[in-house]
Structures are given as structure tokens and as C-alpha cells.
Amino acid sequence: MKMLWTHKLLRAVAISSQLIITASFAVGFTVTASAADEPDPIPARAEGQGPYKRLILRGGYMIDGTGAPAQGPVDIVVENDRIKEIRVVGAPGGKIKPENRPALNGGEELDISGMYIMPGFVDSHLHIHSKKAGQGVPPEYILKLWLAHGITSGRTVSAYHGTPWEMKVKKQLENNEITGPRIQVYPAFDADEAGPLNTEKQARDRIRYIKKMGGSGVKFFGAPLEIMTAALDEAGKLGLSSTMHHAQLDVLHANVLTTSKLGLKSMEHWYGLPEAMFEDRLIQHYPNDYIYNDEQHRFGEAGRLWKQAAKPGSAKWNEVMQTLLDRDFAMSPTFTAYLTSRDFMRMSRAEWHEEYTMPALWEFYRASRNAHGSYWFNWSIEDEVEWKNNYRLWMQFVNEYKNKGGRVMVGSDSGYIYNLYGFGYIQEMLLLREAGFTPLEVLHSATMQGAKQLGTDKDVGSIRVGKKADFVIVGENPLANLRVLHGTGAYRLNDQTDQMERIGGVDYTVKDGIIYDAKALLKNVRAMVKAEKDRLGIAPGIMPIATAPKH
């Protein structure tokens, strides 16, 4: 009975959190909050060492983010938060002569011999949730999971707790007052914070407010065409970037061809792209009993969308792709956000849930009519097969887009649909690999391409003298197996002991010259999860999906 009581308690919390959702629930499930509803303060940073006046990272193999192959061993000299020197000091397997190495000159050094060093990762689709959101988790938990997986930069899309709060967190992260990646803030173009957005003046005022508050861009979901036109025009005039989840409610007049023509800079997910390639229809097929706010309807039919578009390689397919390329339009596919739709059992039983998923978040994942992304009311193998086919076409377009010079970023959109913070980012890398990206192309998207889209490539995105000292350091070769970047690592048989071993996991994340022990961050998160389970009387291990008593 104790487990059932816990489930009822958590469900009550989840439902009460969802009751604050307003009209934007139907579009993108964006929630903004008043100052009184702000999350509790994020604890001051207690992790990390540095920055140092002089730090030398010695002997690593460098994957610099530009697309170049691995080099090394190299010594990288860091002074304060900037890269001062990069020097190749030998050849793999050879002896390194001390005279070939940069002098320590009273500084500090970290031996990373044989390890791989990459630029800090950039996540193009972040959400900072809290205990006051449906996910029921503290921001500290999220930020540490991100940093433990090498994410040192990113953009938050929607400003869930309001623009003022998220801008405050942005400043704290920039100043390293709290532990986590630096962020850009893209508040939502919605009525929750702005009030009515029914006129062109109101649309422009919302964009001006975002600029005034220090936002870097705007996240759109949809709006009447004249409102979208005014908002994107104003964003362009003010130098704000933009991205969009092309919600089905507005996609007929605002697919990617329309919005990119109006000045939209990038897209999230894939909505709005297949609709731009319709040849034998104007509107997506919807069953006659379809209701958008029924999430199984919404996501079930979304998995049947790509097959309604033009065929790969057709004139229409190529025309749409070339138009987007000509407009320098970027894509943040977030494949990982929908992965559960094609394999519910795999994602709901992922091994990281056992020690890293908070009970309240697990409850949010469970099927619910009230929680976004919890649409497993009667999810069937038919739905999964449709989604598998959906992925094949979607991935083919994205891979071809990359091959023709289009910018594709790595974005995780975690906190929904069994997609866990940090882990989901690495999962996105694996899915880009499945789509046809080579490992080097995956890492290029995760670093330089993301930085270019955020406009921060002068400081981050590659390992280069003068840039920020942002690094991901891992003991295994990520080009051989990207799974070693997961916090849970990968498995390998030890031929000497005949035992299966867990290998990998990021060893160090360096941000602004501050060295973070990534595995210590994960240990801290595990302790947070354990403490919450203990408080609620939940047994160790992965939590159940079913909540009804067994017969």
C-alpha cells in the first residue's frame, strides 16, 4: 500500500502543477510564471577547481570541433579562461621529449595522456524546469546532469519560469556563481507572459520586451500570419535570433517555407517541414475523431506525417531542401525527444532511469491526460511501426541537408517522454549517427555548428588559441563508440578477467577554465535521487510503469 500511496501523492502534485497551464497548452505547453512563482534559489557553486593563471592539459588526443581528425598527443595551455597555446608534442606510442613541451612556469597541470579532448558541447534545445513545474525537479539537478555530459553552452527555449528569472539564472551561470553551462535565453512568443498578442503592435511590443530583458532570440510556436510577420520583422530589426516549433494549429499558413521567407533562422523538431512538401494534399490527414489536445491523437498522427510528403529525391523534396539551404536555415531535429514513440519499452527501461531519474519526473513521464508528452494511453506496436517509418524519412532529409552544407545542431529537449537531461543529449548524438552522420560530423554538429547558430563561435565551438577554455575530456575514444559519452558509459569484455566492464563516461568538463569532475557531479545527482526515493519510501532501482495493483 505504501507504493500506491506514493503514486497518488506524486500524481496529485503533477496534476496540480499542470493546472497553471493556460491557452498555450494547446500549442507548445509553454508556461511562464510570476515572480512569486519563481523556483527556489539555485545553490551557490561548490564544485570545480580553477580557473588558474596558467594550466596545462598534457598529452591528450584532440578532436578540435572543426571537422578535422583527431590530433596528438597535444599539450593545451590555458591562462585564466582562455586558450593560450596548443602544441603537438609527439606521436601516438612515441616518447615525448620534455623539451618539446610548454613550460609549466609555476602553473598547474593535468595529465590527460591517452584521453580524448573535445570542445565543450552546445545544446540547441534546453528547458530549465523546477519543482514548481510538472517535472517536479530542482534546477540544480538539471544543470549538473547537463554539465556532467559535457554541455558547456546552450540555448533555453520558452523561458518556462518567465524571462526575468531565466535571465537571472543566465547571469549566475555566466559568472560561474552556480554550477552549469552558460545559456542564451529564447523566451516564447506567447500570451502567458506578454498578455494578448492579437495585433501587430502587441506582437512588436513582445519582441521589444524580449530584447529589453536581454534575450538572445525568440521561440515561436505559431500565430496568425500577420502577427508572425510583424514579430519576425521586429526580431530582425532588433538583431534577435529566432527558432520555431511549427505547431499543427498554425502550420497551414506557417510551414518552414513561409517562416524562413519571413526571416526565421532555425526550426525545432520537424513539424512544418513535411507539410511544405505536400503534393497531393493541402492539409495533413487527420482521423475524423482527432482532437489535438488528446496527446495520443497528436503524437500518434504525427508519426504518420512524413509518409504524406513528397518522396525522397523527388523534385518537390529537392526544391524545398534547396530553398532552405539558400536561406541559410538551420535545423535542431531533437530526434531524441520522440524516440520513445518508436520503442516505448527501450526508452522507459533505459538503464540511467534507475539511479538518475527523480521520482516526480518519473511520475510526469507516466501516462496522463494532464501532462505533456505522457501519451501512452493505449500505445501500440502499430504506432511504433509508423514512427519507425517516420524516422527513416525524417533522418534521410536531415542527413541529406547536412551533406549539402546545411547546418544541423544537437538539441535534446529533455524532461519529457522518458528523455532525461544530459543523457538525452548523448542519445541525440547516437541518433544523428544512425541518420548517416559520421562520428566526426556528429561532434562537429555538437560543437562548431551549434556555436555558429548561437553566434558564439568566436568564443566557443572549437579548440583554438584565444577561445574560451571549454573542454570535454573522456578516457575512451568517442569516435569509436559515442556511447562512452553517456554518464552510464558503455560495456566491454575484459579479455584478461573474462568480466564485463563498464567503461567511459565523461571524466572532466572544463568551462571557463574551471575543471569539473564529471563523475563527481553524477555521484551528487545519484545522491539527490536516492534521498528523494528514501523520503518517499520508494525502493532502489528503476521505478514501475504500471500503477494499478497486480491481480
Side-chain angles (χ1 to χ4, degrees):
M1 291 302 294
K2 194 171 186 180
M3 186 63 218
L4 290 178
W5 178 86
T6 300
H7 161 69
K8 290 177 182 177
L9 173 64
L10 289 171
R11 174 61 73 199
V13 171
I15 291 175
S16 66
S17 297
Q18 290 298 318
L19 292 178
I20 64 172
I21 295 177
T22 62
S24 63
F25 180 96
V27 179
F29 298 84
T30 302
V31 179
T32 51
S34 68
D37 293 326
E38 285 187 358
D40 293 334
I42 300 171
R45 179 172 68 90
E47 298 82 16
Q49 295 179 301
Y52 300 95
K53 288 184 178 180
R54 184 174 175 86
L55 168 70
I56 304 180
L57 305 172
R58 296 210 185 268
Y61 295 121
M62 179 179 70
I63 303 170
D64 69 7
T66 66
Q71 307 168 61
V74 301
D75 283 1
I76 300 176
V77 180
V78 174
E79 293 186 355
N80 299 308
D81 66 337
R82 296 281 171 173
I83 300 170
K84 183 70 173 179
E85 182 184 358
I86 303 166
R87 187 186 300 185
V88 176
V89 294
K95 188 174 181 179
I96 300 174
K97 297 180 180 179
E99 60 268 26
N100 290 343
R101 313 193 85 157
L104 195 55
N105 292 339
E108 304 289 336
E109 60 186 353
L110 179 64
D111 184 2
I112 57 170
S113 299
M115 304 175 83
Y116 284 76
I117 182 167
M118 297 160 281
F121 297 146
V122 181
D123 192 327
S124 57
H125 196 122
L126 299 171
H127 294 286
I128 304 177
H129 302 120
S130 77
K131 287 186 175 181
K132 294 186 177 182
Q135 288 79 1
V137 297
E140 176 192 10
Y141 162 83
I142 298 170
L143 294 169
K144 287 182 176 178
L145 280 173
W146 285 341
L147 198 64
H149 284 90
I151 301 165
T152 57
S153 300
R155 65 180 181 189
T156 61
V157 288
S158 297
Y160 193 96
H161 291 291
T163 305
W165 180 81
E166 207 140 298
M167 291 305 303
K168 180 169 65 177
V169 172
K170 175 180 185 289
K171 184 177 181 181
Q172 291 175 311
L173 290 166
E174 284 176 350
N175 295 335
N176 295 303
E177 296 167 9
I178 58 177
T179 299
R182 71 181 65 83
I183 59 171
Q184 291 187 355
V185 178
Y186 281 51
F189 183 77
D190 67 14
D192 288 333
E193 184 176 65
L197 293 171
N198 298 322
T199 68
E200 293 180 31
K201 181 182 182 303
Q202 290 169 341
R204 291 182 185 276
D205 285 346
R206 172 60 176 164
I207 301 303
R208 290 170 187 149
Y209 172 80
I210 291 171
K211 177 68 174 181
K212 180 181 178 182
M213 292 300 295
S216 300
V218 188
K219 166 74 175 294
F220 291 92
F221 292 98
L225 184 57
E226 69 277 11
I227 304 299
M228 280 288 298
T229 301
L232 282 166
D233 178 66
E234 193 66 27
K237 288 178 178 177
L238 297 178
L240 286 173
S241 190
S242 54
T243 194
M244 185 168 178
H245 168 152
H246 293 75
Q248 285 98 330
L249 299 182
D250 291 288
V251 75
L252 182 59
H253 63 260
N255 64 41
V256 292
L257 290 184
T258 311
T259 56
S260 61
K261 184 177 182 180
L262 293 174
L264 185 74
K265 303 302 182 185
S266 65
M267 65 177 290
E268 306 300 310
H269 319 307
W270 85 93
Y271 309 106
L273 179 53
E275 292 93 335
M277 296 190 290
F278 284 166
E279 293 182 300
D280 60 352
R281 69 195 67 223
L282 179 64
I283 299 171
Q284 172 187 349
H285 170 73
Y286 295 109
N288 292 336
D289 63 348
Y290 178 98
I291 302 293
Y292 181 80
N293 302 82
D294 182 318
E295 289 236 319
Q296 178 144 345
H297 283 182
R298 174 181 168 182
F299 286 95
E301 292 308 313
R304 294 163 168 83
L305 182 53
W306 271 93
K307 68 181 182 181
Q308 299 173 47
K311 302 300 181 190
S314 66
K316 186 69 172 179
W317 173 285
N318 292 333
E319 175 193 347
V320 170
M321 185 177 295
Q322 190 58 53
T323 300
L324 297 176
L325 289 166
D326 292 343
R327 293 173 180 169
D328 196 25
F329 193 69
M331 295 184 180
S332 175
T334 69
F335 290 128
T336 187
Y338 305 92
L339 186 56
T340 311
S341 300
R342 75 176 194 182
D343 196 339
F344 175 82
M345 190 58 64
R346 171 188 173 188
M347 288 306 296
S348 65
R349 299 287 93 184
E351 64 175 333
W352 45 80
H353 291 312
E354 179 175 347
E355 293 188 295
Y356 294 101
T357 299
M358 283 284 197
L361 181 58
W362 188 257
E363 188 62 35
F364 184 78
Y365 289 154
R366 280 193 179 115
S368 170
R369 301 278 180 182
N370 301 291
H372 174 45
S374 303
Y375 47 88
W376 324 106
F377 313 150
N378 188 24
W379 201 251
S380 72
I381 186 62
E382 298 305 313
D383 294 304
E384 293 194 0
V385 168
E386 292 286 1
W387 266 99
K388 285 180 171 69
N389 293 330
N390 212 47
Y391 264 91
R392 291 186 187 104
L393 295 168
W394 180 15
M395 286 178 161
Q396 184 171 345
F397 190 98
V398 171
N399 189 49
E400 287 184 19
Y401 196 72
K402 173 265 301 176
N403 289 343
K404 293 184 178 182
R407 180 171 299 139
V408 178
M409 301 168 283
V410 180
S412 62
D413 193 13
S414 301
Y416 307 92
I417 318 179
Y418 292 99
N419 178 15
L420 187 57
Y421 312 98
F423 290 91
Y425 186 81
I426 307 306
Q427 192 74 48
E428 182 72 2
M429 290 188 183
L430 305 185
L431 290 165
L432 287 168
R433 181 73 185 94
E434 179 185 331
F437 287 51
T438 67
L440 270 176
E441 288 172 341
V442 171
L443 294 177
H444 182 54
S445 285
T447 54
M448 196 61 180
Q449 292 288 56
K452 283 183 176 179
Q453 192 60 31
L454 269 61
T456 57
D457 51 303
K458 289 184 179 180
D459 286 320
V460 300
S462 63
I463 300 177
R464 181 176 171 182
V465 171
K467 286 195 172 187
K468 285 273 193 182
D470 283 11
F471 308 111
V472 184
I473 302 171
V474 61
E476 299 292 328
N477 181 359
L479 298 174
N481 186 1
L482 288 165
R483 280 199 178 97
V484 301
L485 296 172
H486 265 139
T488 48
Y491 292 100
R492 185 168 65 196
L493 179 67
N494 184 319
D495 287 325
Q496 279 68 50
T497 65
D498 200 34
Q499 299 292 313
M500 282 295 288
E501 296 177 343
R502 192 187 294 270
I503 60 169
V506 173
D507 287 281
Y508 302 104
T509 300
V510 183
K511 176 201 167 199
D512 290 324
I514 300 171
I515 303 171
Y516 293 90
D517 183 332
K519 292 179 178 175
L521 290 174
L522 290 176
K523 182 178 180 181
N524 182 255
V525 170
R526 290 197 302 272
M528 294 168 67
V529 172
K530 182 180 184 302
E532 186 64 7
K533 285 184 174 181
D534 289 346
R535 186 181 73 83
L536 294 169
I538 297 174
I542 198 165
M543 291 167 279
I545 296 170
T547 55
K550 291 182 179 180
H551 296 293

